[in-house]
Amino acid sequence: MITTIEKVLCERLQQGLGRMVNNPVVTWNVLATDIGVALRQLPGVCVVFSGITNSRAHDNSRRRFLVTGRFSVFVVDYNLRSNEALRHGGPGAEEPGCYRLIRSVRRLLTGQDLGLEIDYLKPEGVRPVAGQAFNDKGVALYECVFSTQWMEDALDNGHWPAPELPTDDDADFVRWKGRIEKPLPWHESTRMAYFQPGVADPVAEDIMHNRTDNDD
C-alpha cells in the first residue's frame, strides 16, 4: 500500500502542477542528497513516505489493524534575485515561488483518496527545511505533511503467508524464497441437514454450491 500511495501521489501532483515544476514529480529523500542532483532543474517537487505513526486493532479479532501513515511532499524553488522572489514568486511563469507551490500541493491533495482504499488525505504541518546543501545557494525547501489511514490484516497466529496468485501482496515471499504455507482449499459447497426433535436421522438434506466467476 505504501508504494502504491507514493506512486499515485506523484502522478496526481505531476498532472495538477503542470508547468509549475520543471521536472517530473519523483520520490526522493531530498534531505540526504544535493537537491540539484535530485531534481536537476528547479522548481520541483519530491514525495517521500515519512513513516507509520499509529496502528490499532480495528475489531475484536485483533487480526485487522487501522494504520496511520504520513507522507511528505517537499517543494523546492531556486531564485538568485532575492529571498522574497524565492518565497513569493516572480513576474515570470518560471518563478512560481515556494508559497504558491505549497498552496497548490495542499489544494491538490487535501481530502483526496486517490482512488485507493485509504482515508481522505489530511493536511498537517508545513515547515521550512534547512540543510548544508541549500545554504547560500538561493534554494528554499519546504516540507508539506499529509496523513492517511488504511487497513492491514495480520496472519493467523502461528501461520505463514499463503499467496494464491502472483498479484497477491504476499507473493513477495515467493519471489524472495521466504517461508510460505499452502493456501486453504477453496470453499466449494455447504451441506445442510434438517432434524426434528427426537429423531436421529435428518429429515431433509441439501447441498449449496458456491458460485464462481465461471458460472453463467
Side-chain angles (χ1 to χ4, degrees):
M1 181 60 78
I2 295 170
T3 301
T4 301
I5 295 173
E6 200 176 66
K7 179 175 181 291
V8 179
L9 279 171
C10 289
E11 292 172 353
R12 180 169 176 86
L13 288 172
Q14 184 68 59
Q15 294 177 40
L17 294 174
R19 296 184 180 180
M20 200 177 297
V21 292
N22 286 333
N23 205 74
V25 177
V26 295
T27 60
W28 201 285
N29 184 0
V30 296
L31 302 182
T33 189
D34 188 319
I35 192 63
V37 175
L39 295 176
R40 302 296 179 185
Q41 189 177 7
L42 302 178
V45 170
C46 291
V47 177
V48 66
F49 170 64
S50 52
I52 289 176
T53 59
N54 189 37
S55 299
R56 61 181 177 86
H58 184 255
D59 53 36
N60 292 332
S61 70
R62 300 285 177 175
R63 291 191 61 251
R64 170 155 278 205
F65 291 84
L66 183 64
V67 176
T68 302
R70 298 177 69 193
F71 292 82
S72 294
V73 180
F74 292 93
V75 303
V76 198
D77 204 358
Y78 170 83
N79 199 312
L80 290 176
R81 288 197 301 108
S82 69
N83 185 268
E84 183 177 354
L86 180 60
R87 292 177 289 111
H88 299 173
E94 71 281 1
E95 297 179 290
C98 283
Y99 293 171
R100 183 175 285 110
L101 284 168
I102 291 170
R103 188 264 177 191
S104 299
V105 165
R106 288 167 64 88
R107 179 68 169 163
L108 289 170
L109 297 185
T110 298
Q112 301 296 313
D113 66 6
L114 308 173
L116 305 174
E117 292 184 2
I118 63 173
D119 195 11
Y120 300 116
L121 287 166
K122 176 185 175 182
E124 296 194 3
V126 176
R127 68 182 184 97
V129 179
Q132 189 63 40
F134 319 120
N135 293 341
D136 303 321
K137 293 185 179 180
V139 173
L141 171 67
Y142 288 82
E143 179 188 19
C144 307
V145 178
F146 296 86
S147 65
T148 185
Q149 295 181 314
W150 62 88
M151 292 294 183
E152 286 185 359
D153 292 319
L155 294 170
D156 286 329
N157 185 34
H159 283 261
W160 300 91
E164 298 184 35
L165 300 170
T167 54
D168 288 354
D169 289 340
D170 282 344
D172 288 342
F173 294 99
V174 177
R175 182 180 179 186
W176 277 278
K177 310 300 182 184
R179 180 173 175 178
I180 61 173
E181 62 185 40
K182 185 177 180 180
L184 294 174
W186 182 255
H187 183 193
E188 297 180 347
S189 62
T190 301
R191 177 179 177 270
M192 295 177 288
Y194 305 90
F195 294 85
Q196 286 185 344
V199 179
D201 295 326
V203 296
E205 292 184 275
D206 191 14
I207 296 179
M208 182 175 64
H209 295 279
N210 289 344
R211 183 181 177 88
T212 67
D213 294 337
N214 295 326
D215 294 336
D216 294 330

